[in-house]
Amino acid sequence: MARKKKEPAAASSAWLNSYGDMITLMLCFFVMLYNPTEVDAVQLAALTASLQGDPNAGGQSLSAGRMADLGNNINSLPAMEKGKSLGLAVKRAISLFAPDVKTNKITLSSDERGLVITLASDSFFAPGSAELNIDETRETILRLAQFLSSDDLSDRRFRIEGHTDNTAVSGQEFRSNWELSTARATNVLHYLSDFGINENQFSVAGYSDTRPKVTNDTAEGRAYNRRVDIIILDEGHF
């Protein structure tokens, strides 16, 4: 009588348990390595906004520049404790200035100098003028003053930089874009001082059209270059 042929045994799935345990342990390991203070909060906010489908918020949250500049993060600061403090300030800035970022009055970025709060000149000044449109920008200036006066930034230094495009100034008020850029930066400081900031933490500079962010060959590029930067300085740039 012929023997009945044995059916092959079903493949064991016991290895899946070991594999699952290994993946879980690896996940826990990388979670432990993750340090949220190493994330550039400005860029993270831009990524979040773009994933949420808001093209303006995503596109306006980062400044044009070299890829190396965009790679700087809070932990590049010499002092770790100061880096953590600035990281908290960045998160507050993203939340506080969300309405201004959405309306393109302000952009937030970070580079080797520190955290940069950029005021679009066309939103704050009339063409060729250094007089601040305070009636239209009062709430924004007030938020800036409150932010820069916060306890998180009490040991920080700030610099206000005025920048113009390469269009020659017209009229008799300013001899050149050097005077215009400096006057705009100075007037921003005066209004911030009226709202309570400590002037001793600030310095002012005017750069005319010598530091464009993009080319001045187009109207859009010139508008992008007309700006006032308020910089929370890295220790190396005091």
Side-chain angles (χ1 to χ4, degrees):
M1 181 176 179
R3 287 186 176 181
K4 188 176 181 181
K5 188 176 181 181
K6 285 187 177 181
E7 294 293 332
S12 172
S13 60
W15 64 275
L16 288 174
N17 295 328
S18 299
Y19 179 76
D21 290 342
M22 181 186 70
I23 295 298
T24 302
L25 289 172
M26 290 181 65
L27 176 62
C28 293
F29 174 73
F30 286 114
V31 167
M32 291 174 64
L33 288 179
Y34 175 72
N35 181 359
T37 63
E38 293 182 356
V39 176
D40 189 322
V42 175
Q43 297 181 46
L44 181 60
L47 177 61
T48 302
S50 64
L51 293 175
Q52 291 173 344
D54 185 348
N56 288 327
Q60 293 297 328
S61 296
L62 293 178
S63 63
R66 297 171 300 172
M67 290 303 294
D69 289 340
L70 297 180
N72 289 318
N73 55 48
I74 301 305
N75 266 7
S76 65
L77 296 170
M80 185 67 71
E81 290 303 318
K82 286 183 178 290
K84 291 179 180 178
S85 174
L86 185 56
L88 295 175
V90 170
K91 294 175 183 178
R92 286 187 59 240
I94 292 169
S95 174
L96 186 62
F97 300 119
D100 306 293
V101 170
K102 196 161 189 176
T103 57
N104 298 331
K105 286 184 178 179
I106 283 180
T107 59
L108 302 174
S109 60
S110 60
D111 61 22
E112 72 281 358
R113 297 170 296 174
L115 173 64
V116 184
I117 304 171
T118 297
L119 314 183
S121 284
D122 292 355
S123 297
F124 290 84
F125 302 96
S129 172
E131 291 299 319
L132 200 66
N133 298 328
I134 192 61
D135 291 338
E136 298 179 10
T137 60
R138 182 183 301 274
E139 293 301 319
T140 300
I141 297 298
L142 179 59
R143 281 194 290 271
L144 279 166
Q146 292 172 340
F147 173 67
L148 297 172
S149 301
S150 64
D151 292 340
D152 294 341
L153 302 176
S154 60
D155 58 350
R156 287 281 169 179
R157 297 284 300 174
F158 312 106
R159 185 167 67 237
I160 304 178
E161 299 179 352
H163 301 269
T164 68
D165 60 24
N166 63 351
T167 304
V169 297
S170 58
Q172 302 298 319
E173 187 176 2
F174 301 104
R175 290 180 57 191
S176 70
N177 280 320
W178 287 104
E179 287 81 6
L180 175 59
S181 62
T182 303
R184 285 181 169 177
T186 302
N187 282 344
V188 169
L189 174 61
H190 287 330
Y191 275 102
L192 289 173
S193 178
D194 290 342
F195 287 130
I197 59 94
N198 179 9
E199 288 187 352
N200 294 330
Q201 292 179 266
F202 286 78
S203 58
V204 171
Y207 290 102
S208 184
D209 62 339
T210 61
R211 299 190 179 184
K213 299 179 82 171
V214 295
T215 177
N216 278 305
D217 294 340
T218 65
E220 182 181 4
R222 290 190 292 273
Y224 199 62
N225 290 329
R226 295 190 295 269
R227 67 195 190 277
V228 173
D229 289 339
I230 302 174
I231 307 161
I232 303 174
L233 293 169
D234 179 352
E235 286 182 340
H237 290 78
F238 281 6

